[in-house]
């Protein structure tokens, strides 16, 4: 039987923290979660269905690939997935075209990637093997994917970490949770409470002190929590804000070798799906890629909601760092007006509801999700170490292909809890 006298504090009520808490509480541990926000979920941020006509996601939205832990949780919760369908389109500044994922140099890219032994940054890889003018389209496509999809900087991102994704053409199934990620977080939080875990909101952890074999967690509001062990699940940039014991501080320094990306996400609900009326060929459009200020848009297809989501990821988001939420919404409307050759005022008139977040500006995130540099695997091994009373967990520590996803956070939280329960 587990030692119920042991008290474990978890810093952060995101996916990793909640998953770890549920497992530990089910294993008989006394668990307290300290969450800085007034809600659970972290970078999963549900928005009101009353405003958008559906349970919108202001943060994480898609379930990527097989995601076995996520799918198992959804079955437990009685939730279902809707697979992403439809056609991806591109706008080149003049015309729309169905996105052609095939590049004439794709076979050459696959061969070079397959033979690669030493890790490089993506930028160095392209300079070394695909520098010629004939590869311009290939370079643009790769850089766009690294920045937009992975929210990564090609000058720092690891080519070996991305190789598996590229070796299958970058394709894997995507789906949405019916009811949004918020429904999954609500289920997990309920499970934590049902097994006895306590969740305390408004607790911004500022320091973790270690003395005489015990830990003391200090919060900015003056609250103090004593415990035996702690799991820190905050986003990587926030580790610098927490004063840690010497051994834990040394481990946390390894986070500098893990990339952490920026994302701007804009949700726009319109009175009607005017883009389908403007361009009937776009009836089954899912994603739309362009070179506009907000370069990526997607619909809710096959759902018929008159909503578009804008996305801008990677280091170039710094160009819009001066904009507040309304400024980002305006930039999104202007981008759509240019793409569809409409007056901006005509697009704005159709707007019913809007929300925009630059996740770098979010006080308790300072960015979107992690990605690998050539030094990340070693850094993950250090951070995920089970030695000491202070442990670290989260999507940044997942060593598989889907690092940076909600699945990665759930797997990491589960693994950390299982490590604790084993001893």
């Amino acid at each position: 039987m587990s030692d119920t006298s042991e008290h474990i504090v978890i810093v952060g009520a995101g996916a990793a923290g909640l998953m770890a808490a549920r497992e530990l509480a089910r294993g008989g541990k006394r668990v307290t979660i300290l969450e800085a926000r007034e809600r659970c979920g972290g970078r999963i941020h549900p928005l009101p269905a009353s405003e958008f006509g559906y349970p919108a996601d202001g943060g994480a939205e898609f379930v990527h690939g097989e995601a076995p832990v996520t799918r198992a949780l959804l079955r437990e919760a009685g939730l279902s997935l809707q697979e992403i369908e439809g056609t991806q389109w591109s706008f080149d500044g003049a015309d729309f075209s169905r996105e052609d994922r095939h590049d004439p140099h794709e076979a050459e890219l696959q061969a070079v990637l397959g033979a690669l032994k030493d890790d490089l940054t993506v930028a160095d890889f392209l300079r070394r093997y695909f520098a010629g003018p004939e590869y311009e389209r290939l370079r643009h496509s790769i850089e766009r994917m690294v920045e937009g999809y992975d929210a990564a900087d090609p000058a720092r991102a690891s080519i070996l970490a991305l190789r598996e994704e590229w070796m299958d053409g970058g394709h894997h199934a995507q789906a949405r949770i019916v009811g949004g990620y918020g429904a999954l977080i609500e289920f997990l939080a309920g499970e934590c409470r049902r097994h006895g875990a306590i969740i305390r909101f408004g607790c911004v952890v500022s320091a973790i002190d270690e003395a005489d074999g015990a830990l003391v967690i200090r919060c900015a509001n003056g609250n103090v929590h004593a415990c035996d062990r702690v799991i820190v699940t905050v986003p990587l940039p926030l580790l610098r804000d927490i004063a840690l014991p010497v051994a834990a501080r040394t481990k946390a320094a390894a986070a500098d070798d893990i990339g952490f990306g920026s994302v701007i996400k804009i949700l726009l609900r319109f009175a009607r799906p005017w883009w389908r009326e403007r361009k009937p060929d776009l009836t089954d459009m899912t994603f739309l890629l362009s070179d506009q200020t907000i370069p990526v848009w997607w619909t809710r297809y096959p759902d018929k909601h008159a909503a578009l989501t804008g996305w801008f990821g990677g280091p170039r988001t710094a160009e819009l760092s001066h904009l507040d939420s309304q400024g980002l919404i305006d930039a999104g409307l202007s981008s759509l007006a240019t793409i569809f050759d409409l007056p901006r005022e005509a697009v704005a008139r159709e707007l019913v509801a809007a929300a925009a977040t630059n996740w770098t500006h979010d006080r308790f995130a300072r960015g979107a999700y992690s990605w690998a540099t050539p030094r990340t695997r070693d850094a993950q091994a250090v951070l995920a170490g089970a030695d000491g009373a202070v442990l670290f967990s989260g999507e940044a520590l997942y060593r598989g292909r889907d690092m940076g996803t909600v699945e990665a956070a759930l797997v990491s939280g589960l693994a950390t809890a299982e490590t604790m329960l084993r001893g």
Side-chain angles (χ1 to χ4, degrees):
M1 182 176 289
S2 296
D3 178 8
T4 56
S5 65
E6 184 180 36
H7 183 203
I8 298 169
V9 165
I10 296 174
V11 182
L18 292 174
M19 192 67 174
R22 183 180 86 144
E23 193 69 12
L24 289 166
R26 286 203 301 189
K29 302 297 183 183
R30 188 158 61 97
V31 178
T32 301
I33 305 174
L34 302 179
E35 169 55 46
R37 304 178 192 271
E38 296 297 332
R39 61 171 179 82
C40 292
R43 287 165 282 169
I44 292 173
H45 184 202
L47 298 173
S50 58
E51 291 185 22
F52 290 92
Y54 64 95
D57 288 300
E61 178 173 344
F62 297 104
V63 176
H64 302 276
E66 295 179 0
V69 173
T70 303
R71 290 173 186 262
L73 275 176
L74 291 173
R75 288 191 293 271
E76 277 190 66
L79 298 169
S80 60
L81 284 173
Q82 182 179 62
E83 301 295 329
I84 303 301
E85 304 173 13
T87 304
Q88 181 167 301
W89 287 77
S90 288
F91 176 70
D92 64 5
D95 299 308
F96 289 84
S97 61
R98 286 180 171 83
E99 179 76 358
D100 181 8
R101 294 174 180 262
H102 178 75
D103 186 278
H105 302 290
E106 185 171 331
E108 186 179 355
L109 172 65
Q110 302 276 351
V112 173
L113 284 171
L116 201 62
K117 303 298 182 186
D118 299 322
D119 205 356
L120 298 167
T121 67
V122 172
D124 286 342
F125 171 79
L126 293 176
R127 278 193 292 267
R128 182 175 298 185
Y129 296 103
F130 298 97
E134 69 273 24
Y135 299 118
E136 182 178 359
R137 177 186 168 192
L138 177 67
R139 289 195 302 271
H140 177 71
S141 175
I142 289 174
E143 288 168 354
R144 182 168 68 176
M145 184 177 73
V146 170
E147 293 182 354
Y149 182 80
D150 298 293
D153 183 351
R156 292 189 64 215
S158 160
I159 190 68
L160 290 185
L162 295 166
R163 176 166 63 182
E164 184 179 354
E165 182 180 325
W166 292 356
M167 289 297 281
D168 71 357
H171 304 161
H172 56 274
Q174 295 191 92
R176 290 188 184 92
I177 299 172
V178 177
Y181 262 115
L184 182 61
I185 289 299
E186 185 178 347
F187 168 74
L188 263 181
E191 283 284 284
C192 290
R193 293 186 175 104
R194 185 168 70 87
H195 290 288
I198 296 171
I199 304 175
R200 299 191 185 280
F201 296 121
C203 296
V204 181
V205 172
S206 57
I208 301 173
D209 299 328
E210 188 172 17
D212 301 324
L215 294 173
V216 175
I217 316 297
R218 303 187 188 281
C219 299
N221 61 6
N223 288 348
V224 175
H225 303 267
C227 64
D228 300 291
R229 287 189 285 178
V230 62
I231 305 174
V232 180
T233 71
V234 301
L236 294 183
L238 300 185
L239 291 178
R240 303 183 186 96
D241 296 345
I242 303 175
L244 297 167
V246 173
R249 187 166 66 245
T250 301
K251 289 172 65 173
D256 290 343
D257 290 328
I258 302 175
F260 197 76
S262 300
V263 161
I264 291 169
K265 189 173 184 181
I266 303 168
L267 290 92
L268 305 177
R269 180 188 180 188
F270 296 97
R272 59 192 177 89
W274 52 264
W275 55 94
R276 292 202 293 263
E277 299 168 9
R278 182 75 173 170
K279 301 285 183 181
D281 287 349
L282 304 183
T283 299
D284 68 343
M285 180 182 78
T286 50
F287 292 91
L288 174 62
L289 310 182
S290 74
D291 288 321
Q292 295 303 306
T293 300
I294 306 301
V296 180
W297 293 90
W298 61 76
T299 69
R300 295 286 300 179
Y301 186 84
D303 287 347
K304 300 301 183 183
H305 295 292
L308 291 172
T309 298
W311 179 270
F312 185 19
R316 292 189 301 116
T317 56
E319 299 166 8
L320 303 184
S321 62
H322 62 289
L323 296 180
D324 61 7
S325 178
Q326 185 57 54
L328 294 174
I329 292 167
D330 292 340
L333 293 172
S334 295
S335 294
L336 289 172
T338 300
I339 291 170
F340 288 95
D341 192 24
L342 287 167
R344 183 192 173 286
E345 293 74 18
V347 178
R349 276 197 301 271
E350 298 289 337
L351 192 63
V352 173
T357 301
N358 182 338
W359 279 93
T360 299
H361 290 173
D362 185 279
R363 178 184 173 192
F364 301 123
R366 308 239 186 99
Y369 47 83
S370 58
W371 43 270
T373 73
R375 299 172 60 118
T376 286
R377 296 302 179 231
D378 290 340
Q380 288 173 321
V382 172
L383 268 167
D387 54 308
V390 180
L391 279 69
F392 298 92
S393 188
E395 48 85 12
L397 304 189
Y398 182 70
R399 297 170 68 88
R401 159 177 156 168
D402 291 321
M403 174 186 179
T405 64
V406 175
E407 171 76 4
L410 294 171
V411 171
S412 179
L414 181 62
T416 304
E418 290 175 342
T419 297
M420 280 190 161
L421 290 172
R422 285 196 301 267

